[in-house]
Amino acid sequence: MIRVRLPAHLRTLAQVTGEIHLDVAEPVTIGRVLDALEHRRPVLRGSIREHGTQRRRPLVRYFAGERDVSHEPPDTPLPASVAAGVEPFLVVGAIAGG
Amino acid sequence: MSGVRVLVGTRKGAFILTSDGRREQWGIAGPLFGGWEIYHVQGSPADPDRLWAAQSTGWFGQLIQRSHDGGASWEPVGNEFRYDGMPGTHQWYDGTPHPWEFARVWHLAPALDDPETLYAGVEDAGLFRSVDGGLTWHELPGLRGHGSGSSWQPGAGGMCLHTILVDPTDAARMVVAISAAGVFRSEDGGESWHAANRGLQSEGYIPDPDAEVGHCVHKLAVHPERPDVLFMQKHWDVMRSDDGGQSWREVSGNLPSDFGFPIAVHAHEPDTVYVVPITSDAEHYPPDARLRVYRSRTGGGEWEPLTTGLPQSHCYVNVLRDAMAVDALDPCGLYVGTTGGQVYASADAGDSWHPIVRDLPAVLSVEVQTLP
C-alpha cells in the first residue's frame, strides 16, 4: 500500500482530506504511482503531469524518502520505505509566497 | 420581478452576486475555487442555470468547472486543450520564434442557442470548441494556421485570445480578437479566417504601424441587433467598424486618454458605448487618479465622464478587459470590477454607481446574466 500526500489545492480538487492510499504493483516507480493516482482520481489528470507528454508540470515536485525525486525518470523505483507504506510519496507545489 | 446574477472572476476565486431587478440589495456568494485564478465565468444564454468557470494556477494548470444549477454546485469537466497538429512558433517578446504552448483559458463564449456548445479563447492564442458541454475540446486550427500565426506576439498579459463574438443572426459568422495580433473574421463557422485590421494604427510596438497583423487589440464589443458595427478598445485608440471589421476608424474623440482595456455597448441603445480610460501603457491607473467610466451616446467621438459614486481621488485601480458588463434590464445596468477588488454597479445606464462589494481579490472578469 502506497501513501500519497497531495498539496492543499489538489486535495480539494480530488475531494480528499488526508493521504490517498493506493495499491501499486512491484516494482513501485514514480510513474506507476502517478498512474494509479490518476486512475483513482481522474480529476487530477493534467494537474500534476501534462496531458499528452505526461511530463511533470514545471512547478510541481516529488519527494520520497526525504529526497527530491522530481527529476528522476518515471521508471525509477521508489525507496523501500515508500514502497512499503512506511513513508508517504509527496506531490509538492513549488514554494510560493513571501 | 426579474433579477440579475453577476459572475465575478478574481485572482483568488469566483464570486456570484445576485439581486432582484431593482439592483439595490445584493447577495454575495463565494469564494468558489478559493485560491485559484478565475479568468472567466460565463452562463449559457440558452440555459441560464448552466455556467462554466475557467479555473487555473501556474502550479496545477487549467480546469474547467461546470454548474447546472446557477452556481450552487460545480463539477470539473474537460481540461485537455491540445493544439491541432504541430503547433509551430509565434514571436516572443524580443521577436525570436517561440513554441506555441498552452497556458490558460482566458475567455468562454457559450453558444446562443445550444447549451452544449461553447468556445474557449486560450493563451497561447487559439480557439477551441466543445459540443458536449465542456467535456471535450477541439481546436479550430484554421485561425492559427491561416498564415500570419508565426508573426503574432504576446502582449504584457500573455498572447491571449480574449474576445469571441458570434453573429446572432448567422452563427457561421464569427469575430475573434487576440493580443497582440489583432482581429480575425470567419464566415464559415471558424474553419477559415482572415485578418480584419484595416485602419488600425499601432506605433511603438510593431515596425509597420498599419500592418495587417500585430495590433494589440484589448477588447471588442457589439450590440446583438447590429452585428456589423463593432467597437474596439485598442492598446491606444478607441475604434469603430461599420462593416464587420473590414475597416476601422478612430472614435477616441475627447477622451482624456484613449488607452484602456474594456469596452461595452448599452443593451438597448446600439450607439451608446462605454470605456474606462487608463492613463497610459506605462501607468495602468485612471487619469488624475479618478475612476471615470466614459459614455458616448453617438457611437463614439463624443464622450461624457460618469463619476457619481465612483472614487474621484487617490484611485489607482485598473479595470481589466473582461471586467465590464451590461445587463438587459430597463434601465440598462452596468458592472465594473477593479484590480482593487471593488465591483461597482449602476442601475441607471451609468449615471450613478454604488459598490456591490469593496474588498474582493483583484477582479479579472465580470459577466452578468439577466434572469426571468
Side-chain angles (χ1 to χ4, degrees):
Chain A
M1 184 269 294
I2 307 300
R3 298 162 49 200
V4 176
R5 194 175 295 172
L6 298 174
H9 279 320
L10 297 188
R11 290 199 301 274
T12 302
L13 190 58
Q15 297 185 310
V16 298
T17 54
E19 294 178 349
I20 296 178
H21 296 170
L22 302 170
D23 291 321
V24 179
E26 297 282 348
V28 176
T29 65
I30 296 170
R32 284 188 171 189
V33 169
L34 294 173
D35 288 345
L37 176 64
E38 291 176 355
H39 180 74
R40 173 77 67 83
R41 300 288 175 179
V43 72
L44 295 174
R45 290 175 183 158
S47 63
I48 298 171
R49 300 184 291 183
E50 293 175 351
H51 285 295
T53 66
Q54 295 296 290
R55 286 185 306 210
R56 176 181 50 81
R57 289 188 54 80
L59 300 185
V60 172
R61 296 170 73 173
Y62 311 139
F63 297 165
E66 298 187 348
R67 284 198 307 117
D68 180 1
V69 296
S70 306
H71 302 282
E72 303 293 335
D75 58 356
T76 301
L78 290 171
S81 60
V82 175
V86 176
E87 293 186 272
F89 176 77
L90 275 62
V91 177
V92 179
I95 192 166
Chain B
M1 173 179 283
S2 57
V4 292
R5 183 192 290 140
V6 180
L7 309 171
V8 182
T10 81
R11 288 272 179 219
K12 296 292 180 186
F15 297 82
I16 297 179
L17 321 177
T18 51
S19 179
D20 63 22
R22 287 187 293 269
R23 295 161 287 182
E24 294 170 352
Q25 303 295 321
W26 292 88
I28 301 169
L32 305 165
F33 326 117
W36 292 68
E37 292 185 318
I38 308 297
Y39 267 63
H40 202 209
V41 188
Q42 184 61 287
S44 165
D47 176 2
D49 277 342
R50 177 170 279 208
L51 311 179
W52 291 271
Q55 171 189 3
S56 62
T57 74
W59 279 258
F60 307 119
Q62 182 68 52
L63 290 159
I64 300 293
Q65 298 277 355
R66 183 176 68 184
S67 174
H68 292 288
D69 52 16
S73 63
W74 295 81
E75 58 176 345
V77 287
N79 66 343
E80 186 168 3
F81 292 86
R82 189 179 298 187
Y83 296 111
D84 187 76
M86 291 295 289
T89 63
H90 58 80
Q91 280 194 51
W92 194 232
Y93 291 94
D94 63 357
T96 55
H98 189 83
W100 229 281
E101 296 171 329
F102 174 82
R104 61 179 57 80
V105 172
W106 276 69
H107 187 85
L108 297 166
L112 300 176
D113 57 357
D114 175 13
E116 294 294 319
T117 297
L118 72 162
Y119 297 90
V122 313
E123 172 191 353
D124 286 337
L127 180 63
F128 286 76
R129 179 168 56 198
S130 173
V131 294
D132 54 14
L135 295 176
T136 60
W137 296 90
H138 301 281
E139 190 190 14
L140 297 171
L143 175 61
R144 276 189 316 111
H146 87 279
S148 69
S150 61
S151 68
W152 300 356
Q153 60 184 332
M159 198 175 81
C160 56
L161 193 159
H162 52 70
T163 299
I164 304 167
L165 301 175
V166 180
D167 187 334
T169 65
D170 180 357
R173 304 182 72 213
M174 303 175 67
V175 174
V176 302
I178 296 167
S179 180
V183 179
F184 299 88
R185 174 149 207 123
S186 173
E187 308 289 342
D188 56 9
E191 294 299 314
S192 64
W193 295 83
H194 63 270
N197 300 302
R198 189 150 49 96
L200 303 186
Q201 291 278 332
S202 299
E203 295 183 3
Y205 60 87
I206 52 176
D208 177 2
D210 58 357
E212 184 181 34
V213 299
H215 302 276
C216 193
V217 175
H218 284 180
K219 195 65 192 173
L220 303 180
V222 66
H223 191 282
E225 293 175 6
R226 247 180 19 181
D228 278 340
V229 179
L230 302 174
F231 295 96
M232 172 194 295
Q233 174 66 68
K234 195 163 65 66
H235 194 77
W236 294 96
D237 302 334
V238 178
M239 308 293 291
R240 171 179 176 146
S241 172
D242 290 289
D243 53 13
Q246 302 303 326
S247 64
W248 295 89
R249 60 187 170 92
E250 186 173 1
V251 292
S252 305
N254 62 329
L255 288 170
S257 164
D258 58 17
F259 191 94
F261 290 93
I263 189 165
V265 181
H266 189 292
H268 313 299
E269 300 172 10
D271 266 327
T272 298
V273 188
Y274 300 89
V275 295
V276 184
I278 293 301
T279 303
S280 71
D281 52 354
E283 298 168 291
H284 284 193
Y285 42 76
D288 306 317
R290 300 167 59 198
L291 182 58
R292 289 166 287 182
V293 176
Y294 273 75
R295 176 174 62 196
S296 171
R297 293 191 183 279
T298 56
E302 302 167 24
W303 300 87
E304 59 177 326
L306 308 173
T307 61
T308 303
L310 296 174
Q312 295 303 298
S313 64
H314 309 297
C315 180
Y316 294 94
V317 300
N318 192 5
V319 178
L320 299 179
R321 71 189 82 224
D322 255 337
M324 181 162 66
V326 298
D327 70 29
L329 295 175
D330 189 10
C332 176
L334 268 79
Y335 305 86
V336 166
T338 78
T339 54
Q342 302 87 28
V343 179
Y344 295 103
S346 169
D348 51 15
D351 289 338
S352 64
W353 298 79
H354 67 274
I356 300 174
V357 59
R358 289 183 181 275
D359 297 303
L360 298 184
V363 174
L364 300 175
S365 63
V366 174
E367 296 289 351
V368 58
Q369 298 178 284
T370 307
L371 303 174

